[in-house]
Amino acid sequence: KRMKARAPPPPNQPAASRIHSEHKSPAETAVISDQNLVSVKENMINRQVDFTVILPSGVEQKCTVQGSKAVMDVLVDLCSQYRLNPSQHSLELKSSGAQQVLSYKPNTLIGALDVQTVLLKEKIPEEKAKRPLPRVPEKSVRLVVNYLKTQKTVVRVSPEVPLHNIIPAICEKCEVSQEHIVLLRDGITGEELELTKSLEELGIKELYAWDRKKEPNRKASVSSDAIEKEKTRLLGLFNADRRSSK
């Protein structure tokens, strides 16, 4: 008897060998991907890296280094080549195309970065960076302020600013509300001062601060202050005459 030949597999069903070769397990696929990634990284690291160096003086130079060199080593080599101190300089790396500043660590391999431009920059010493600008002393004068008829105080203010800028200091010293204060040239004439002018423009170093709340009658306050000043003046003259007669 003749034996029948074994029937071939269905056309849609792949052979065992094809199934094994075409369908990889996730673990096998991950291993292949990792191997490809490692191969790409090795190619990047082992390649020659060409870039443009911009020195602190602004001069541009072409440079080529091995991709396996760390960024810190590149800094040392460049500083040695151009006779600079590595501790006083740093590198700013920019990518090709967009020229974005790249972030890196000192031990990052230069070949792992897409570098096109390297700026060799001089570090600014911390003392210079933190040192504030010299402050120009503000000019100030002693302003004598008369208030409440017989009271007197001294305020140190700038003679170059408008009077409305020094009103807060006067009010604080005299314990007067800003809403009720009026600045007069003196307690005799009762001339109201222009608040847009400075002491320097008005040519005064003394004024009268009239409190409208505590001294409702301005004329009475002014005349009373004038009387007090006149008494003081006459008393001074009387004492001077007595001393001269002796």
Side-chain angles (χ1 to χ4, degrees):
K1 292 182 180 180
R2 297 177 63 184
M3 299 293 293
K4 292 183 179 180
R6 184 176 294 180
N12 294 334
Q13 183 178 353
S17 60
R18 289 183 59 193
I19 293 175
H20 183 71
S21 60
E22 292 181 3
H23 295 274
K24 303 288 185 181
S25 66
E28 290 175 327
T29 304
V31 170
I32 294 173
S33 300
D34 291 342
Q35 289 176 348
N36 292 336
L37 185 59
V38 169
S39 178
V40 171
K41 287 185 176 180
E42 286 179 353
N43 291 336
M44 291 178 64
I45 293 171
N46 293 328
R47 68 186 175 95
Q48 296 285 334
V49 181
D50 299 323
F51 52 83
T52 301
V53 180
I54 301 178
L55 302 177
S57 60
V59 177
E60 296 185 7
Q61 299 286 347
K62 297 294 182 181
C63 188
T64 301
V65 297
Q66 191 68 25
S68 58
K69 185 166 288 189
V71 175
M72 182 56 65
D73 294 333
V74 175
L75 170 63
V76 174
D77 291 347
L78 290 175
C79 289
S80 176
Q81 183 178 350
Y82 298 108
R83 298 180 180 179
L84 300 173
N85 188 343
S87 63
Q88 297 177 1
H89 292 79
S90 63
L91 294 183
E92 183 178 294
L93 309 181
K94 290 188 176 182
S95 64
S96 59
Q99 284 289 296
Q100 294 180 343
V101 178
L102 301 172
S103 60
Y104 64 89
K105 295 181 179 179
N107 59 348
T108 301
L109 302 183
I110 193 76
L113 302 170
D114 184 20
V115 180
Q116 186 180 42
T117 307
V118 174
L119 280 76
L120 187 55
K121 303 175 69 174
E122 185 177 3
K123 292 180 181 179
I124 301 175
E126 292 185 5
E127 293 182 359
K128 290 184 179 179
K130 295 182 179 180
R131 185 181 300 169
L133 295 175
R135 186 176 178 181
V136 179
E138 185 180 354
K139 183 180 178 181
S140 63
V141 295
R142 287 164 54 89
L143 173 66
V144 179
V145 181
N146 301 284
Y147 65 104
L148 294 179
K149 300 179 183 179
T150 58
Q151 302 297 314
K152 182 178 291 191
T153 187
V154 176
V155 184
R156 183 163 287 278
V157 294
S158 170
E160 300 174 347
V161 301
L163 290 184
H164 61 74
N165 284 9
I166 65 175
I167 282 181
I170 295 174
C171 291
E172 182 181 358
K173 197 80 172 179
C174 302
E175 297 181 352
V176 180
S177 171
Q178 295 187 36
E179 299 176 357
H180 303 133
I181 194 171
V182 178
L183 300 184
L184 308 177
R185 182 175 287 274
D186 51 48
I188 300 174
T189 63
E191 177 188 347
E192 192 169 337
L193 297 171
E194 294 184 40
L195 299 183
T196 56
K197 291 187 176 181
S198 65
L199 295 174
E200 204 168 69
E201 291 174 317
L202 295 169
I204 60 173
K205 292 184 179 179
E206 184 174 359
L207 53 77
Y208 189 92
W210 174 49
D211 188 348
R212 290 179 294 183
K213 186 176 181 180
K214 296 181 181 179
E215 304 173 86
N217 192 337
R218 175 174 170 180
K219 290 184 178 179
S221 298
V222 171
S223 60
S224 175
D225 185 65
I227 291 171
E228 290 296 328
K229 286 193 173 183
E230 184 65 18
K231 284 182 179 179
T232 302
R233 188 183 69 84
L234 292 175
L235 183 60
L237 291 174
F238 176 74
N239 291 333
D241 290 341
R242 288 184 62 183
R243 287 194 296 270
S244 61
S245 61
K246 290 180 181 180

